[in-house]
Amino acid sequence: MYERYNPQAIESKWQKSWLESKMYFVEPEADKPKFYTLVMFPYPSGDLHMGHMRNYAIGDLVARYRTMQGYNVMNPMGWDAFGLPAENAAIKDGIHPAIRTLDNIERMKGQFYKMGIVYDWDREVASCLPDYYRWTQWIFLLMYERGLAYRKKAAVNWCPNDKTVLANEQVVDGHCERCGAEVIKKDLVQWFFRITEYADRLVDDLDMLEGWPERVRTMQRNWIGRSTGAEIDFPVVGNREDDPVGAHGRAPLPTSPTIRVYTTRPDTIFGATFMVLAPEHPVVEVITTPEQREAVQQYVQQARKETEIERLSSDKEKTGVFTGAYAVNPMTNAAIPIWIADYVLVTYGTGAIMAVPGSDERDYEFAVKYNLPIVNVIAPDDGRWTMDDSNHRPSSIVHRPPTEGAPVPMYAGPGLMVNSGPLNGVPTTESKNAAIALIEAEGKGKATTNYRLRDWLISRQRYWGAPIPIVYCPTCGEVPVPTEQLPVVLPTDVEFRPGGESPLAHVESFVNTICPTCGGPARRETDTMDTFVDSSWYFLRFCDPHNDKAPFSRELADHWMPVDQYTGGVEHAILHLMYARFFTKVLADAGMVGAQEPFIKLFTQGMITKDGAKMSKSKGNVVPVDDMVEKYGADTGRLFVLFMGPPDEDAEWSDEGAAGMFRFLNRVWRLFEGNVTLSSPNGAGRDTADYSQSDRDLLRKVHVTIKRVTNDIERFHFNTSVSAIMEMTNAMQSYRDAHGPETEAYSEAATSLLLMLAPMAPHITEELWRRAGGTDVSRSAGSSEGVHQQPWPGFSPELAAAEIVTLVIQVNGKMRDKVDMPADVTQDEAIQTALGREKIRPYIEGKEARQVHYVPGRLVNIVV
């Protein structure tokens, strides 16, 4: 009699075996196709819970499955080990970040072992170690040499809690993405990467990424925000009391500035009745009249306190202040007032807009509030407009409010251009190009492409990050550290204290150095790099992790790259994934790698919630990995997180569900009690004529399940693959109860069951494989290789063919036809087939089908 299923006893045994045998440690092989699978490397927080297990169980399943399919699979793991949490903790409790981080790494590695997650640990990297960040600094210098790393003063996002700057991408709804504190603006000299140089390629190459979720590609397109339009110059006219502006405008003064506007709708320029500048626009100071100066200054100060998210909110009431100055609309020659308003950003376009309230909702709201002119320049092409041959323009144009005191209605939809001079009557489908041609012909502007994307701010005023390899010399100025002097090592003797300056600034032995150029005294840069710099190239270091001559070799990078399957959270759609793509393109341009994109396929898993919220220590709703393993075993946890629901959607944790999965694995265990043998799972071409009907039914179920599970794993539908295996085990139990476990059909079912379950529940399947005398069924008899060295089971198309059922078709409860269909026909397919049958048409033509009832696999009843 088999002993009872004891996961704690068998799991530690096989985890040790896999690690000692280095079963999943790989080197390039010429006779096997490569497969590079990667889960986003984690921050070493020290504790993993079941939300984490879902992510890593998916990655482990892919690695084991592809290995069984015959691929040479690289599945590495490392640590995104720099960052604010460890430094903030050091400020609080005095434990050095290096000590805490390395301790957490060891704890998390132990938890990976407990989960049965197999990695190539020979490739392990940690971004906080000098042998890694040496090459992060090397890549920074490569960027610097290529003109992609530069330093400038800018208004930056400042987190008052973490005391550091944030990139635009790290500000979510006006708050710090990491700690949630409200972000403010601050002027600082900072280091940037010129990611905008790659904006077009980052947009265009998204079309190559067909294996990415469309929502992620859309998020990146929207963040880059590429748009086409025109830049148009608006001359500023007199703004002083002794230089009034007439109702019809006047020529600009020789000393007056010109305001350049970027617009995606240059065709609406004839409807521009005022201008709006960002409060921070440099021309505001120049053009504001003395009478308006105090109001303008107060408004500017208020606007600088707001985040960009707040300023762009559609719910926020539009506010602004008149500067007292006017500009000339270059196409109408009319003088239009210049306002400032916080809904215009100095970081987008030129920081100035031509306001067209007749065709733009924000401008319309602003114009109505401040009683500014509104002119329609687009009319609906609904047949109500006729052309006036005398001036070639549509007649019946709205020039004034339809009712006394009401504003002119806004219209921004498709139609014809009106009140637009030479553009009158041009359809809006053609008006943009026509307007650009007109503006360029008159020398008033030019066609332009613009982007929402801004250069990547990488400076951080903190200690626990890669030092920026730059020194400042009184004689030579800004000097890059020579590559042979890398790494610039973080000192360990630092004082952790809150403040707006890096702790490195107070370590004299670090700050004071020698200029590499002239040999004179110099000072090191004390800012460190954003931790997203570390994670923007780690996947390349995995290809060649022990190289001490370069970040990686071209030969090994070209062998393994790009990553075939990347798995991680959708929260990284803009930050990490955008930056990793940027780095890959820069390194490809430098001739270091052939891949233009880092990740062929991307899967973004959903979160596991408990009590309706994301698992978190602060919420007290965490289910620790250790607790799950101790109570039910790793296989139960792995299988349950795969089964909980579609893996790209959030799922609510259920203790009862976990217990149910443990009971299922106990049923699997009992299926192997007695004299169960294993055989080849490949049933292609088998003659089943001599088999009993029960044998044939079981084999059909087995091969249908192999087909379903294979297809579901390929589509990342793990929950339905687990369901299919559960259905097959029910069929096996029924067969076993009737016929025993010693038949050829049962042997094939048992073999196929273990092979399909192996990537999902690796411990129990390995144990049962060995206990049942499993050998290498595809090679020589008597081999001692385990279940994970076996080939993935194939299925017989004949045996896996869907069973045929006969559907009865009724009209108003009376049988009118029958049709043979596959047993797995869907409800929609069955109903559409029934409605289209020739024998049914006479009974339903000219009548309304009020209801259609479907009994799966048996009946369609049409009620007319």
Side-chain angles (χ1 to χ4, degrees):
M1 183 72 177
Y2 253 35
E3 68 267 28
R4 68 180 181 83
Y5 173 47
N6 184 350
Q8 289 76 17
I10 66 173
E11 289 180 352
S12 59
K13 175 178 67 173
W14 291 117
Q15 290 159 11
K16 182 180 179 182
S17 172
W18 297 330
L19 184 62
E20 290 178 349
S21 66
K22 296 189 173 183
M23 191 167 75
Y24 288 91
F25 290 36
V26 296
E27 295 296 335
E29 294 186 32
D31 60 343
K32 278 188 177 182
K34 71 92 179 178
F35 192 92
Y36 185 177
T37 180
L38 186 62
V39 175
M40 293 180 184
F41 76 163
Y43 174 77
S45 59
D47 287 294
L48 296 176
H49 54 65
M50 297 311 295
H52 298 115
M53 182 182 272
R54 189 185 209 187
N55 193 21
Y56 300 116
I58 289 172
D60 194 65
L61 185 157
V62 171
R64 293 177 184 270
Y65 169 71
R66 293 298 182 191
T67 298
M68 294 176 73
Q69 286 191 315
Y71 288 94
N72 187 35
V73 176
M74 182 167 78
N75 182 31
M77 176 49 66
W79 311 96
D80 193 8
F82 275 137
L84 292 174
E87 186 171 348
N88 287 344
I91 294 172
K92 182 179 179 181
D93 58 28
I95 299 176
H96 197 283
I99 296 174
R100 182 188 302 276
T101 299
L102 295 179
D103 286 348
N104 286 349
I105 285 174
E106 287 307 306
R107 170 158 174 73
M108 289 175 67
K109 285 179 72 172
Q111 290 176 311
F112 280 136
Y113 297 149
K114 287 184 178 181
M115 288 189 285
I117 308 296
V118 288
Y119 292 118
D120 182 347
W121 288 109
D122 276 354
R123 297 179 180 273
E124 180 184 11
V125 301
S127 63
C128 67
L129 298 180
D131 64 353
Y132 183 89
Y133 69 73
R134 168 190 182 184
W135 301 113
T136 300
Q137 294 170 341
W138 189 96
I139 294 172
F140 174 94
L141 294 175
L142 175 71
M143 296 271 196
Y144 187 84
E145 178 185 333
R146 299 176 74 85
L148 297 173
Y150 68 95
R151 188 170 178 251
K152 72 171 184 178
K153 186 175 184 178
V156 298
N157 304 305
W158 179 260
C159 175
N161 179 60
D162 288 332
K163 308 295 183 186
T164 191
V165 298
L166 304 172
N168 287 338
E169 294 86 349
Q170 292 166 307
V171 180
V172 179
D173 295 331
H175 293 79
C176 174
E177 178 261 349
R178 199 205 66 80
C179 74
E182 187 172 354
V183 173
I184 62 176
K185 290 289 186 180
K186 196 171 187 177
D187 290 324
L188 291 173
V189 177
Q190 302 287 280
W191 281 97
F192 293 81
F193 281 157
R194 210 180 299 274
I195 192 174
T196 51
E197 287 288 319
Y198 285 76
D200 282 326
R201 287 167 63 182
L202 289 170
V203 173
D204 294 338
D205 289 357
L206 286 169
D207 293 336
M208 299 165 50
L209 303 178
E210 295 179 354
W212 283 37
E214 185 55 39
R215 64 169 177 162
V216 174
R217 295 198 290 175
T218 298
M219 289 167 74
Q220 291 214 359
R221 285 192 185 96
N222 292 343
W223 188 260
I224 297 169
R226 182 171 66 184
S227 61
T228 58
E231 285 186 346
I232 307 171
D233 290 333
F234 283 68
V236 177
V237 293
N239 60 357
R240 300 184 304 277
E241 187 177 351
D242 60 347
D243 186 20
V245 178
H248 300 289
R250 54 174 296 159
L253 298 175
T255 58
S256 294
T258 295
I259 299 175
R260 179 159 293 176
V261 163
Y262 171 76
T263 176
T264 59
R265 292 299 305 270
D267 49 339
T268 64
I269 187 171
F270 288 88
T273 57
F274 60 100
M275 294 188 71
V276 182
L277 308 182
E280 305 90 343
H281 196 292
V283 81
V284 171
E285 178 94 10
V286 177
I287 66 172
T288 299
T289 62
E291 295 80 8
Q292 294 296 112
R293 189 166 303 280
E294 181 178 356
V296 166
Q297 289 176 343
Q298 289 179 356
Y299 190 85
V300 170
Q301 292 175 3
Q302 177 61 35
R304 287 180 65 85
K305 297 178 182 178
E306 300 175 306
T307 67
E308 290 188 3
I309 299 293
E310 291 171 335
R311 288 170 60 167
L312 293 177
S313 172
S314 58
D315 298 329
K316 185 177 183 292
E317 182 183 358
K318 300 296 178 288
T319 61
V321 174
F322 177 43
T323 65
Y326 291 79
V328 173
N329 182 322
M331 303 309 292
T332 66
N333 202 36
I336 59 176
I338 305 172
W339 287 64
I340 61 171
D342 59 5
Y343 74 89
V344 178
L345 303 179
V346 75
T347 56
Y348 182 76
T350 64
I353 67 166
M354 61 177 206
V356 185
S359 303
D360 182 274
E361 187 174 351
R362 294 182 310 168
D363 298 342
Y364 183 80
E365 183 181 339
F366 193 89
V368 170
K369 179 174 181 177
Y370 292 105
N371 197 29
L372 295 166
I374 301 172
V375 174
N376 291 118
V377 287
I378 303 174
D381 187 12
D382 55 8
R384 294 183 299 157
W385 304 93
T386 58
M387 295 300 294
D388 183 337
D389 291 336
S390 63
N391 56 18
H392 303 287
R393 62 188 294 172
S395 60
S396 303
I397 298 170
V398 177
H399 288 286
R400 54 185 177 273
T403 59
E404 190 65 29
V408 173
M410 186 200 81
Y411 180 72
L416 303 173
M417 301 306 299
V418 297
N419 292 326
S420 298
L423 300 180
N424 281 335
V426 176
T428 51
T429 53
E430 305 170 13
S431 57
K432 183 174 181 176
N433 291 335
I436 291 174
L438 176 65
I439 291 165
E440 289 186 331
E442 296 193 8
K444 304 296 177 61
K446 62 180 181 179
T448 308
T449 300
N450 199 36
Y451 306 87
R452 181 179 184 268
L453 180 68
R454 291 294 170 258
D455 282 343
W456 175 10
L457 170 60
I458 67 160
S459 288
R460 297 295 179 269
Q461 292 69 44
R462 301 303 293 257
Y463 162 74
W464 195 232
I468 295 174
I470 295 289
V471 301
Y472 302 104
C473 173
T475 303
C476 306
E478 185 179 285
V479 182
V481 174
T483 55
E484 61 271 17
Q485 294 183 18
L486 299 179
V488 177
V489 179
L490 274 175
T492 57
D493 54 337
V494 296
E495 181 182 353
F496 298 104
R497 54 186 178 183
E501 191 174 22
S502 169
L504 291 175
H506 303 285
V507 183
E508 292 188 6
S509 60
F510 175 84
V511 174
N512 298 322
T513 187
I514 301 300
C515 174
T517 301
C518 70
R523 294 179 61 82
R524 290 194 188 278
E525 171 64 72
T526 57
D527 283 357
T528 55
M529 288 186 242
D530 179 10
T531 55
F532 280 101
V533 178
D534 307 316
S535 60
S536 293
W537 72 281
Y538 78 106
F539 43 88
L540 286 158
R541 184 65 176 175
F542 279 143
C543 300
D544 193 12
H546 306 297
N547 193 330
D548 62 357
K549 307 297 183 188
F552 50 86
S553 77
R554 172 72 187 256
E555 179 183 6
L556 287 172
D558 284 349
H559 175 81
W560 292 111
M561 289 292 294
V563 175
D564 296 279
Q565 180 63 63
Y566 200 35
T567 303
V570 73
E571 66 271 17
H572 297 296
I574 292 174
L575 296 119
H576 164 60
L577 291 172
M578 181 88 74
Y579 296 153
R581 296 181 62 223
F582 166 56
F583 262 56
T584 302
K585 294 180 186 302
V586 171
L587 294 171
D589 289 351
M592 295 181 65
V593 64
Q596 291 290 326
E597 286 287 337
F599 316 120
I600 295 176
K601 289 185 177 181
L602 172 69
F603 180 77
T604 54
Q605 84 285 348
M607 294 187 301
I608 291 183
T609 60
K610 190 170 187 292
D611 305 325
K614 179 181 178 181
M615 285 190 181
S616 166
K617 284 184 179 179
S618 62
K619 294 183 174 67
N621 65 344
V622 165
V623 179
V625 163
D626 291 350
D627 290 358
M628 168 58 61
V629 171
E630 182 178 342
K631 186 172 184 179
Y632 293 124
D635 283 342
T636 292
R638 290 171 60 119
L639 208 56
F640 184 52
V641 296
L642 294 172
F643 176 69
M644 290 176 71
D648 57 343
E649 298 178 8
D650 294 349
E652 176 73 7
W653 177 262
S654 164
D655 293 334
E656 295 80 6
M661 190 58 68
F662 181 66
R663 290 192 295 271
F664 166 70
L665 288 178
N666 275 276
R667 290 198 300 273
V668 170
W669 183 267
R670 290 192 294 271
L671 287 173
F672 288 81
E673 291 179 349
N675 189 24
V676 178
T677 59
L678 302 179
S679 64
S680 171
N682 188 356
R686 172 177 292 132
D687 183 3
T688 60
D690 294 335
Y691 278 46
S692 69
Q693 184 62 47
S694 296
D695 288 349
R696 284 196 294 270
D697 289 345
L698 179 61
L699 288 177
R700 175 184 293 280
K701 188 65 175 179
V702 169
H703 285 261
V704 167
T705 303
I706 294 173
K707 180 179 180 181
R708 284 181 59 187
V709 170
T710 303
N711 291 339
D712 285 346
I713 289 177
E714 291 288 343
R715 298 182 302 153
F716 275 51
H717 290 188
F718 306 122
N719 56 318
T720 53
S721 65
V722 176
S723 296
I725 291 173
M726 288 177 167
E727 292 175 16
M728 185 179 119
T729 61
N730 291 337
M732 289 177 63
Q733 185 64 59
S734 297
Y735 178 96
R736 180 187 171 106
D737 291 344
H739 306 287
E742 299 181 14
T743 69
E744 289 185 18
Y746 192 85
S747 174
E748 182 172 334
T751 304
S752 300
L753 172 63
L754 294 182
L755 292 172
M756 285 187 286
L757 262 181
M760 306 175 192
H763 308 90
I764 188 174
T765 51
E766 187 78 280
E767 181 73 14
L768 290 173
W769 182 268
R770 307 292 181 132
R771 289 186 177 225
T775 60
D776 183 351
V777 296
S778 67
R779 303 181 183 93
S780 60
S783 168
S784 62
E785 289 185 332
V787 68
H788 302 288
Q789 283 88 7
Q790 308 309 311
W792 183 255
F795 60 86
S796 163
E798 294 78 17
L799 289 172
E803 183 182 352
I804 301 300
V805 296
T806 299
L807 283 180
V808 173
I809 305 174
Q810 297 178 339
V811 179
N812 290 343
K814 293 184 178 181
M815 190 187 81
R816 300 298 184 184
D817 197 5
K818 293 188 295 185
V819 60
D820 289 338
M821 299 198 73
D824 59 356
V825 63
T826 67
Q827 177 172 321
D828 287 344
E829 290 170 340
I831 291 173
Q832 291 304 314
T833 299
L835 293 173
R837 297 283 291 178
E838 186 173 347
K839 289 184 178 180
I840 298 299
R841 288 176 188 164
Y843 298 99
I844 62 175
E845 282 182 345
K847 300 176 183 179
E848 179 183 354
R850 292 184 298 165
Q851 290 180 320
V852 181
H853 300 287
Y854 175 62
V855 179
R858 295 176 57 193
L859 174 70
V860 176
N861 181 31
I862 306 165
V863 180
V864 299

